[in-house]
Amino acid sequence: MMVDVDNANLVGDAFGNLLLRDMVQINIPEQICFLPQTWGWLVVGLVLVLFIGRYLLLAWQKYWRNRYRKKLQSKLLTCDVSDCLHTPRFIHQLLQQACLQAYPKRSLTARQLQGAAFLVFLDSCTQDNTEFDSAIGELWQQALYLPLALSEWSAAHNQVLILSAQRWLKLHIDDAELGSELGTEIGGNEHVRNKRD
């Protein structure tokens, strides 16, 4: 004998599952605000923004200060190693331009940017001494002004000169990196060298 059960009583609020009949609906809590509630977090955020801003400003200044290096290095890459007539003068002008750009506080004169004084000055501007003040450097300076020395100049000399100029453009320490004007004479006395970052 089958007992007739009222289906409406069985289903009720349980939606057809008798196990859910005694369950109580869960109330959803209010949303939590993830913004800082105290002033201390605002101070931490402000300090963090200041540090990031300072870092970005210093990075921009370094980029802006050193943009001449990349420009002159790209010009140096256009040098023709086999052109013994024009390459020495082109590199000399390029390095003079770099010196005037890198050392505006030193008031460099034309006399200081040629000859043996220029070679000593170039070598003094890097941590790892470049070898401008050498036999090749002297021959280079002579080749700029004496036709006889220019006849001794070869493509191998050009290659050495280009590599030295590239190294100097990459490694020289300019006035802005030193942070203060150097109290040195260009003519070859003592030169102060600070370590580069």
Side-chain angles (χ1 to χ4, degrees):
M1 181 169 188
M2 198 165 177
V3 180
D4 223 0
V5 181
D6 186 12
N7 284 340
N9 290 339
L10 288 177
V11 175
D13 293 333
F15 300 106
N17 189 346
L18 295 176
L19 297 174
L20 295 178
R21 182 173 40 187
D22 295 329
M23 297 288 281
V24 178
Q25 185 175 357
I26 299 173
N27 293 330
I28 299 173
E30 294 181 23
Q31 286 185 339
I32 299 172
C33 180
F34 288 101
L35 294 175
Q37 300 297 314
T38 59
W39 62 270
W41 287 107
L42 294 175
V43 171
V44 170
L46 182 63
V47 168
L48 187 63
V49 165
L50 288 175
F51 275 118
I52 291 172
R54 179 169 162 51
Y55 173 77
L56 292 175
L57 178 66
L58 291 176
W60 174 254
Q61 286 175 340
K62 183 177 180 181
Y63 164 76
W64 191 255
R65 186 178 62 237
N66 289 321
R67 71 191 185 283
Y68 75 93
R69 291 179 196 245
K70 291 181 182 180
K71 182 179 177 183
L72 295 178
Q73 284 175 345
S74 65
K75 280 185 180 180
L76 192 58
L77 292 175
T78 63
C79 269
D80 184 14
V81 177
S82 61
D83 184 7
C84 295
L85 184 62
H86 297 101
T87 299
R89 184 163 304 281
F90 176 77
I91 293 175
H92 188 261
Q93 290 171 348
L94 191 127
L95 289 176
Q96 282 179 332
Q97 185 180 2
C99 288
L100 292 173
Q101 181 73 31
Y103 306 105
K105 295 178 183 177
R106 294 192 188 186
S107 302
L108 298 173
T109 63
R111 183 182 58 80
Q112 294 166 328
L113 293 177
Q114 62 188 7
F118 184 53
L119 299 175
V120 171
F121 175 71
L122 289 174
D123 284 344
S124 71
C125 293
T126 60
Q127 286 177 333
D128 304 327
N129 277 340
T130 50
E131 297 178 2
F132 285 108
D133 191 19
S134 63
I136 292 178
E138 290 176 19
L139 183 61
W140 170 44
Q141 290 298 304
Q142 291 173 4
L144 294 173
Y145 304 106
L146 302 174
L148 182 62
L150 186 60
S151 65
E152 297 175 17
W153 194 258
S154 67
H157 291 112
N158 275 344
Q159 184 66 33
V160 170
L161 185 61
I162 289 171
L163 291 175
S164 295
Q166 285 175 338
R167 185 170 181 225
W168 187 87
L169 284 171
K170 183 178 179 183
L171 297 177
H172 75 275
I173 301 170
D174 59 11
D175 279 345
E177 288 174 342
L178 292 175
S180 64
E181 185 173 348
L182 296 178
T184 61
E185 286 187 29
I186 305 302
N189 291 345
E190 282 187 31
H191 294 280
V192 177
R193 293 187 189 126
N194 291 350
K195 291 194 174 190
R196 185 176 178 176
D197 292 336

